[in-house]
Amino acid sequence: MLEELSQLQQDGLRELQAMAGSAELPVWYRTYLGRKGRLTDVLRGLGKLSADERPEAGKRGNEVKQVLEEAFLRRQDEIREAELQASMHSGAVDVTLPGRPVAPGHLHLSIRTLRKIRAIFAEMGFQVYDSPEIDTDENNFELLNIPPYHPARDMWDTFWVNDQVVLRTHTSPGQIRCMREYHPQPIRVILPGKCYRYEQITPRSEHQFFQVEGLAVGHHIRLTDLIGTMSEFARKMYGAERRMRIRSSYFPFTEPSIEVDMDCILCRGAGCRVCKHTGWLEVAGAGMVHPVVLRNGGYDAEEWSGFAFGMGVERPAMLQHGIEDIRYFYNNDLRFLQQF
Ligand code: PHE
């Protein structure tokens, strides 16, 4: 075996020296040092040697490996340097060629929509309150008046981190965090952010999406304030001619609860494919903050009142730009992203 190893080392070094171009480098490496290369092949014989021959052969094997590795690296540098020099001399590198432009990125459509929404509410005096994407069951459900095992939980298919912790299914848990931080002062905030639901991904539903929550708490805040805020928002976002429609609805954390619609931005209420021939598009779920929720936030529900709303971000962007599949928002396809 010792002879075989010496022969192998000799062959390897000779072939390295004789090598003509860098294209041969990987071939050489595979042949000599690769997993199925000659060295591995020879060393496979180690097991058949007697116990007193084995240590020396093993040691020699390692030496050969090291010698060849080092020679390879040296030769690789040499060859590459030579090729570089050659190409410089032959003028293959035209240093006057303009550089390749770096493609400047831009903000994702979701973020741009979010910023527009933020700007509109900022004009109305709403601050941004940041709240975590991972939250407790308590904040996401219980303190929002949704006890364990309450059937209303079915409205939010949930990713559980453990028994007590969830990926927030909506931005509403931020209401609790915000009230507990600010009570007993008045509040006027929006809470934008990512939410998660344990849902099948289809062209119309993703398991991750953005929402913007709104919360106002103060004295004498009334349903008409909510409706006024919503219609002001819709007009700034979608055009001054927008008309609103209010339907009654149900959320455990608001009472009364409403659904805010606006006339379809495409057909202006006449009925089309976008509004599924109803003439109306959903803007937000909303309502007056439930007394239980106010109390959980630290406010005296006899003295304080408030409204809250929650709206989607991707869906309206889809309507506006005629995007037919929500999955495009999250699969990082530049052909899609560059259009906006
Ligand atoms: N959190 C509700 C949802 O995701 C929306 C909502 C927010 C409704 C605030 C009322 C008040 O469905």
Side-chain angles (χ1 to χ4, degrees):
M1 166 162 311
L2 293 177
E3 270 161 40
E4 271 182 284
L5 284 169
S6 298
Q7 186 63 46
L8 177 70
Q9 175 169 330
Q10 253 179 43
D11 291 353
L13 293 176
R14 185 167 19 82
E15 272 189 42
L16 257 186
Q17 219 41 52
M19 194 178 283
S22 58
E24 293 167 37
L25 284 163
V27 181
W28 181 93
Y29 197 91
R30 242 179 284 126
T31 313
Y32 283 92
L33 297 172
R35 227 156 24 92
K36 294 185 182 145
R38 284 179 58 179
L39 184 62
T40 319
D41 208 34
V42 174
L43 292 179
R44 204 168 285 133
L46 272 178
K48 292 200 204 92
L49 294 183
S50 66
D52 41 317
E53 286 173 313
R54 211 176 292 147
E56 192 179 353
K59 183 159 159 261
R60 181 74 185 117
N62 281 333
E63 274 167 23
V64 170
K65 180 163 189 225
Q66 207 182 342
V67 167
L68 289 180
E69 294 263 15
E70 281 167 10
F72 174 80
L73 292 178
R74 238 179 296 122
R75 185 69 181 132
Q76 174 170 265
D77 284 348
E78 233 172 73
I79 290 180
R80 288 190 177 160
E81 179 60 26
E83 286 179 354
L84 180 64
Q85 290 301 333
S87 80
M88 302 258 263
H89 284 298
S90 72
V93 175
D94 178 356
V95 292
T96 66
L97 212 61
R100 292 198 191 111
V102 177
H106 65 69
L107 293 174
H108 191 279
L109 177 58
S110 298
I111 302 299
R112 301 223 331 225
T113 313
L114 210 58
R115 289 201 176 182
K116 211 162 132 193
I117 297 173
R118 243 163 50 172
I120 293 171
F121 282 108
E123 281 178 32
M124 290 193 264
F126 285 79
Q127 288 180 294
V128 170
Y129 186 86
D130 271 322
S131 192
E133 290 176 20
I134 300 178
D135 212 331
T136 56
D137 175 84
E138 211 181 9
N139 286 336
N140 195 82
F141 291 121
E142 285 174 49
L143 296 170
L144 290 171
N145 202 24
I146 315 169
Y149 307 110
H150 193 281
R153 286 197 177 207
D154 291 351
M155 292 166 77
W156 297 275
D157 293 313
T158 309
F159 284 115
W160 295 88
V161 176
N162 59 39
D163 285 358
Q164 281 121 46
V165 179
V166 302
L167 299 188
R168 65 174 174 195
T169 57
H170 50 177
T171 40
S172 303
Q175 290 188 32
I176 298 292
R177 288 176 173 273
C178 183
M179 285 193 277
R180 290 195 159 179
E181 184 173 335
Y182 284 105
H183 77 88
Q185 299 163 64
I187 291 177
R188 208 189 293 172
V189 293
I190 56 167
L191 308 95
K194 191 71 93 55
C195 306
Y196 302 86
R197 287 194 198 161
Y198 184 57
E199 266 182 75
Q200 177 153 7
I201 298 173
T202 70
R204 292 194 55 79
S205 64
E206 251 289 351
H207 69 274
Q208 50 175 339
F209 52 89
F210 282 99
Q211 274 192 347
V212 177
E213 188 94 1
L215 174 68
V217 178
H219 295 294
H220 314 299
I221 291 188
R222 299 182 300 186
L223 189 63
T224 43
D225 297 314
L226 168 58
I227 295 171
T229 305
M230 290 286 91
S231 54
E232 177 71 6
F233 165 74
R235 290 186 183 133
K236 286 221 165 98
M237 185 86 183
Y238 300 106
E241 68 284 3
R242 288 282 75 78
R243 285 177 298 131
M244 309 298 294
R245 174 177 84 163
I246 304 298
R247 286 176 293 143
S248 73
S249 183
Y250 171 74
F251 299 102
F253 33 89
T254 46
E255 178 61 32
S257 302
I258 60 171
E259 209 71 53
V260 183
D261 300 340
M262 64 183 177
D263 59 331
C264 177
I265 49 178
L266 215 78
C267 64
R268 302 173 175 224
C272 69
R273 216 169 55 92
V274 168
C275 58
K276 298 208 199 94
H277 305 284
T278 61
W280 297 97
L281 298 173
E282 285 171 32
V283 176
M288 301 307 288
V289 182
H290 197 290
V292 166
V293 176
L294 279 174
R295 256 177 251 128
N296 289 341
Y299 290 84
D300 179 349
E302 300 292 321
E303 277 184 40
W304 296 82
S305 59
F307 66 71
F309 58 83
M311 60 176 82
V313 174
E314 287 90 352
R315 189 69 37 83
M318 288 169 75
L319 294 171
Q320 250 184 334
H321 299 285
I323 300 163
E324 303 206 319
D325 195 325
I326 195 169
R327 293 173 294 188
Y328 286 133
F329 283 79
Y330 294 104
N331 57 16
N332 258 343
D333 188 336
L334 288 180
R335 291 169 305 177
F336 171 75
L337 298 172
Q338 277 165 348
Q339 295 177 56
F340 306 99

